[in-house]
Amino acid sequence: MENGAGNGVAVAAPAVDSPASWNFTPNEALLGLTALSVRGVLGRVKAGMVVAGGGGVAAARPVIPMGHGDPSVFPCFRTAPEAVDAVAGALRSGEHNSYPTCVGLEPARRSIAKYLSRDLPYELSPDDVYLTSGCAQAIEIICSVLARPGANILLPRPGYLFYEARAVFNGMEARYYDLLPEKDWEVDIDGVQALADENTVAVVIVNPGNPCGNVYTYDHLAKVAETARKLGIFVITDEVYAHLTFGKRKFVPMGMFGAVAPVFTLGSISKRWVVPGWRLGWIVTNDPSGVFQRTKVVDSIKSYLDISSDPPTFIQGAIPKLLENTKEDFFNKTVKILRETADICWEKLKDINAITCPSRPEGSMFVMVKLDLSCLQDIKDDMDFCCRLANEEFVVVLPGCAVGYKNWLRITFAIDPSSLEDGLDRLKSFCLRHSKPTK
């Protein structure tokens, strides 16, 4: 019986009103923001791939994921057993099934404060730490807290466009300063000063760098802090890849300069512990002078946390043991693999026609390379390159347009070394196949 009464006579479905009669429309600010999402862009890149079972050959040639920032699927990048034990213990204890406080469980915040203070000239307190659902929510919160009519925020180019998405959604203007490839992707300090005005609220840096694989020196970070102080703005430092360095430069936290200019440090356990799905991040106020208190920015953060979702309580409960018990050998192993794969990437990219890598990566999991489209035939731009590479070679890389750098590519080397070599060999074959014939 469909749409009918018990007498077996069919009854027509009621007419549906035209959309114009409904008293709602979607939030216009959200439309189009997918273009600023790495997930959204990678979805477009992979859309044309013909996978096994659909007439393709992916069963014989596995897909090589060199566009993502999640190496956890590879056994060589599995998280520390101590981290797993900490989470399992917190869950089994039955002590972490309730709602946490809005700022996060105090033992977790105290442990994170102690963990981060090891690299600083002063001690953080638990009150300096606010727990979030990964670093993504930390970005969301900061952009919401700083937003006001007419405000603008200074972002790096190339950079993680999620900052722009959250800024635009909150009514802020995103202004881009350049990173300088010829200077190991340093901040263009003059460009920052030229962009800033009385409505600028903050400058964002990412260190170690996503997407460039750079690591900033102490002296360069000091210049960034002095510039922020001169302009009267905050520094937002994204340090989600903290300590994942494998070159000559060691990681220096921006919080070292909190007394020069107030610093928001955003971080998480996602990358160093290789657990992005656990969704535990933080906002830390590096502000010995108390600027954030006097301007009531911290009150705004607390108010936002009162109306937002929390990271899982049992993950928060696991943080003290996770931080305390994870052995240094685990971190050393991760860095060793990243050093190996970064070297593989650097050496193999030298031999690929139409691709130039300006500098050897020293941190994070990525490297930026420039496309020379004049060497290729029938390739329109970086997006076209990546879509055709995925379709023909089952290799996925991120087009530079997804990080604000058209006709460049971001390549992830945080994958199994043998898979990386295979992927780079396929990339070379693709470029050779599409090379313009020599006269």
Side-chain angles (χ1 to χ4, degrees):
M1 229 178 336
E2 296 180 356
N3 299 322
N7 60 7
V9 178
V11 177
V16 178
D17 294 338
S18 67
S21 67
W22 294 102
N23 194 30
F24 58 81
T25 58
N27 184 338
E28 295 290 338
L30 287 173
L31 300 178
L33 288 185
T34 298
L36 301 177
S37 160
V38 169
R39 286 181 181 179
V41 174
L42 286 177
R44 289 172 58 197
V45 168
K46 294 185 283 188
M49 284 197 301
V50 181
V51 297
V57 292
R61 302 188 74 198
V63 175
I64 308 295
M66 293 163 53
H68 69 326
D70 181 3
S72 63
V73 296
F74 294 96
C76 63
F77 283 104
R78 291 285 162 80
T79 193
E82 296 86 1
V84 176
D85 290 342
V87 172
L91 190 58
R92 290 195 185 101
S93 73
E95 297 174 2
H96 306 293
N97 297 329
S98 304
Y99 292 122
T101 59
C102 69
V103 294
L105 296 180
E106 196 275 344
R109 292 185 291 116
R110 182 173 299 280
S111 295
I112 291 169
K114 180 180 178 182
Y115 166 71
L116 296 178
S117 294
R118 297 184 303 181
D119 300 320
L120 297 171
Y122 53 88
E123 289 291 322
L124 295 167
S125 81
D127 292 336
D128 294 315
V129 180
Y130 305 87
L131 301 188
T132 62
S133 294
C135 197
Q137 193 193 30
I139 296 169
E140 171 188 330
I141 292 168
I142 289 299
C143 288
S144 299
V145 164
L146 297 181
R148 57 175 169 77
N152 66 73
I153 187 169
L154 308 185
L155 306 176
R157 181 175 52 213
Y160 186 38
L161 296 189
F162 187 77
Y163 282 94
E164 179 182 343
R166 296 308 314 186
V168 169
F169 182 72
N170 284 286
M172 272 199 297
E173 178 191 358
R175 296 183 179 181
Y176 282 95
Y177 67 85
D178 289 322
L179 302 180
L180 304 173
E182 69 276 11
K183 294 185 177 180
D184 293 329
W185 301 103
E186 284 188 349
V187 173
D188 180 1
I189 299 291
D190 291 338
V192 167
Q193 295 184 94
L195 282 173
D197 60 22
E198 68 277 5
N199 291 315
T200 304
V201 294
V203 59
V204 173
I205 66 167
V206 183
N207 182 45
N210 173 11
C212 302
N214 56 296
V215 179
Y216 291 136
T217 64
Y218 180 98
D219 290 342
H220 187 62
L221 292 174
K223 290 179 182 178
V224 172
E226 289 292 349
T227 302
R229 182 181 182 87
K230 176 182 175 182
L231 297 172
I233 61 177
F234 305 142
V235 179
I236 300 169
T237 178
D238 185 327
E239 296 179 359
V240 74
Y241 291 97
H243 294 290
L244 291 180
T245 62
F246 34 83
K248 295 178 181 178
R249 296 177 179 176
K250 301 303 180 184
F251 168 70
V252 178
M254 190 69 204
M256 290 284 293
F257 308 97
V260 178
V263 175
F264 283 120
T265 297
L266 313 185
S268 77
I269 62 172
S270 297
K271 306 303 181 181
R272 198 176 189 208
W273 275 267
V274 203
V275 287
W278 289 9
R279 310 313 299 147
L280 192 289
W282 52 78
I283 299 168
V284 171
T285 54
N286 298 101
D287 180 28
S289 302
V291 175
F292 290 138
Q293 291 285 351
R294 292 196 302 275
T295 57
K296 297 188 176 181
V297 170
V298 292
D299 293 332
S300 295
I301 293 175
K302 293 174 184 176
S303 294
Y304 191 98
L305 289 169
D306 270 331
I307 60 169
S308 69
S309 58
D310 310 309
T313 312
F314 68 92
I315 301 292
Q316 296 186 42
I319 288 299
K321 289 187 177 179
L322 180 147
L323 295 179
E324 181 180 345
N325 294 342
T326 302
K327 294 181 174 61
E328 201 64 28
D329 286 349
F330 166 75
F331 301 126
N332 293 338
K333 177 188 174 186
T334 301
V335 168
K336 181 176 181 292
I337 297 170
L338 288 174
R339 181 183 295 113
E340 177 186 351
T341 54
D343 288 344
I344 290 170
C345 211
W346 172 249
E347 294 301 327
K348 280 190 168 288
L349 287 171
K350 292 178 183 177
D351 296 327
I352 299 180
N353 182 44
I355 286 179
T356 303
C357 184
S359 59
R360 182 193 293 264
E362 293 198 334
S364 78
M365 302 175 176
F366 311 102
V367 65
M368 286 292 289
V369 300
K370 187 175 183 179
L371 273 179
D372 185 353
L373 294 176
S374 68
C375 297
L376 302 171
Q377 57 183 346
D378 304 324
I379 303 290
K380 294 184 295 184
D381 56 23
D382 55 327
M383 189 71 189
D384 185 38
F385 181 97
C386 292
C387 290
R388 296 177 70 169
L389 175 66
N391 188 43
E392 296 177 25
E393 295 288 347
F394 300 99
V395 173
V396 179
V397 300
L398 188 72
C401 61
V403 291
Y405 236 44
K406 191 169 179 61
N407 293 333
W408 286 62
L409 308 173
R410 187 192 77 172
I411 295 177
T412 303
F413 49 82
I415 66 175
D416 176 79
S418 61
S419 297
L420 178 63
E421 293 197 32
D422 185 11
L424 292 170
D425 288 342
R426 295 191 210 176
L427 176 61
K428 181 178 181 179
S429 297
F430 176 84
C431 289
L432 286 172
R433 188 164 61 253
H434 288 276
S435 294
K436 286 183 178 177
T438 55
K439 296 181 179 180

